Amino acid sequence: MSRPVRRVPAAALCALALTACVSGVHGTPGGAEGVHDPYFPKAGNGGYDVTHYALTLSYDPGSHHLTGNAVITARATQDLSAFDLDLKGLHVDEVTVAGKRARFNRTGQELTVRPRDDLHRGKTFRTEVRYAGSPETITDPDGSKEGWLRTADGALALGQPVGSMAWFPGDHQPADKASYDIAVTVPRGLQVVSNGELRSESTARGRTTFRWRTAEPMASFVATVAIGRYDITRTTIAGHLPEYTAVDPARRRASEQVLAKIPEITRWGERTFGPYPFSSTGAVVDRADDLGYAALETQNRPVFPGAPDTGTLVHELAHEWYGDSVTPKSWQDVWLSEGFATYAEWLWQEDHGGRTAQATFDALYDHGERTYADLWSFPPAEPSDAAHLFEDPVYQRGAMVLHKIRQKVGEDTFRAIVRGWAADHRHGVADTADFTAYVEKKAPDKNFDAIWSEWLYGEGRPDRP
Ligand code: ARG
Ligand code: ZN
């Protein structure tokens, strides 16, 4: 499900796909080395669409050594003589395509692969990458940490926006979603938690392998691996939804009461947003200080670097619908994820005897900059740069956009929009234009021009109507 990519002239490609040029292959285009996301121009790749990742990893926290084997099944969306994968750090030992050794070259985060035989548009092909090394922690433009994070007793892999390239090669852009099999082998006594459902756990010669499967489409930025010692709780919500929750023993006391609300929040979420979009839920609470954020909405079970509060738990679980199931097409559209998750917090409060969403909106409008100094510094749908993607204009003002829509269309239509949006784009991707068109379709008698131009795209604090 990658976005269409403009063809790059063959000469420009020689600079990108070195191997293709070295061997004198011209004329057949290679896949582009990025997908024109203005915030992360090199993230993701053109020319193919991944359908499945099978990752077989082995990690030793003591030596901080990772070995990986990634089998990537993809469909060519154009004729390809070369294509790129994103991989940061690590050493690549071998690449094969369709079972034959392929030439490859690395420049920065681009792993350019030149298969023995050209790939034809529409063809499904398998790439296998064998790699190893010490996975990196990435510092984002906003100073937060992602990628591979070492913890006291293991590690955490977190990938928003671009950290997943620190632990596996792939098409690391939000729009290319795929199913996953993630198997991780660790020294016996440690546990591994990932997305989806645990299929098996087996120990041999002092090492344990955990095999996790994610059947529903997943963007790579919400893929995760958590390695360490955890207290595991397995239950079933409402008789059908498996919950798997892993908590670092040192955080159990602080998180017990909040995590006990997962079933209640999930049922409230289903009433408010529609059917829960995945086949399992849960949470991971670990000990990782100084990431610069309180949680990540990793698919099926959000990761919390410390004990969450109820608002944060509601926010992350709401992301399963908005962010994980309906995924922003590019990083510019991230307000579709964060604005909804923030508005979910407002709705939760309203439905549980707290402030109404209207009161939250009014307080923000009147003196929001006292709490959120930069609230009016840029419009939600046009973050100023990559260092400002996860800031208040995206979260708070993004939620304010949703509240303006609610005011305009009234309660019933608003509820239908919130649920319908999740249903229509379930397991897919969407951008801001898709959203505004959807809202207009649902309320054809209303005019949203002022909301879009002032609240979504306008600079500064909109005037009071
Ligand atoms: N998406 C996370 C949340 O709102 C926050 C992640 C922030 N990431 C970052 N690189 N600043 O729940
Ligand atoms: Zn969020």
Side-chain angles (χ1 to χ4, degrees), residues 288-312:
D289 302 325
D290 306 326
L291 299 191
Y293 47 97
L296 183 63
E297 62 269 26
T298 42
Q299 192 156 304
N300 302 93
R301 50 192 61 77
V303 169
F304 302 92
D309 57 24
T310 303
T312 306

Side-chain angles (χ1 to χ4, degrees), residues 257-314:
Q257 285 190 1
V258 179
L259 295 178
K261 297 180 186 171
I262 291 175
E264 184 192 351
I265 296 169
T266 305
R267 285 192 299 263
W268 170 83
E270 292 206 302
R271 287 196 302 277
T272 313
F273 314 130
Y276 179 76
F278 301 116
S279 45
S280 64
T281 184
V284 176
V285 179
D286 211 325
R287 266 183 300 158
D289 302 325
D290 306 326
L291 299 191
Y293 47 97
L296 183 63
E297 62 269 26
T298 42
Q299 192 156 304
N300 302 93
R301 50 192 61 77
V303 169
F304 302 92
D309 57 24
T310 303
T312 306
L313 182 60
V314 169

Side-chain angles (χ1 to χ4, degrees), residues 140 142 144 160-161 293 295-297 315-316 319 338 390 395:
D140 289 333
D142 67 1
S144 37
Q160 192 185 39
Y293 47 97
L296 183 63
E297 62 269 26
H315 178 110
E316 300 310 325
H319 269 311
E338 300 303 349
F390 301 97
Y395 285 64

Side-chain angles (χ1 to χ4, degrees), residues 360-435:
T360 305
F361 177 93
D362 290 341
L364 277 172
Y365 186 85
D366 291 338
H367 41 76
E369 64 286 350
R370 280 190 218 154
T371 320
Y372 306 104
D374 59 355
L375 181 60
W376 308 112
S377 60
F378 61 84
E382 277 170 354
S384 43
D385 57 65
H388 296 90
L389 287 175
F390 301 97
E391 294 193 351
D392 305 321
V394 169
Y395 285 64
Q396 305 299 331
R397 190 171 160 185
M400 293 177 94
V401 171
L402 297 176
H403 193 72
K404 291 301 293 180
I405 296 167
R406 187 180 181 187
Q407 287 177 332
K408 171 142 320 251
V409 302
E411 200 57 20
D412 290 351
T413 305
F414 181 70
R415 297 287 173 161
I417 287 173
V418 166
R419 294 170 67 98
W421 175 247
D424 266 36
H425 294 275
R426 181 181 149 93
H427 298 166
V429 298
D431 62 17
T432 303
D434 293 327
F435 179 71

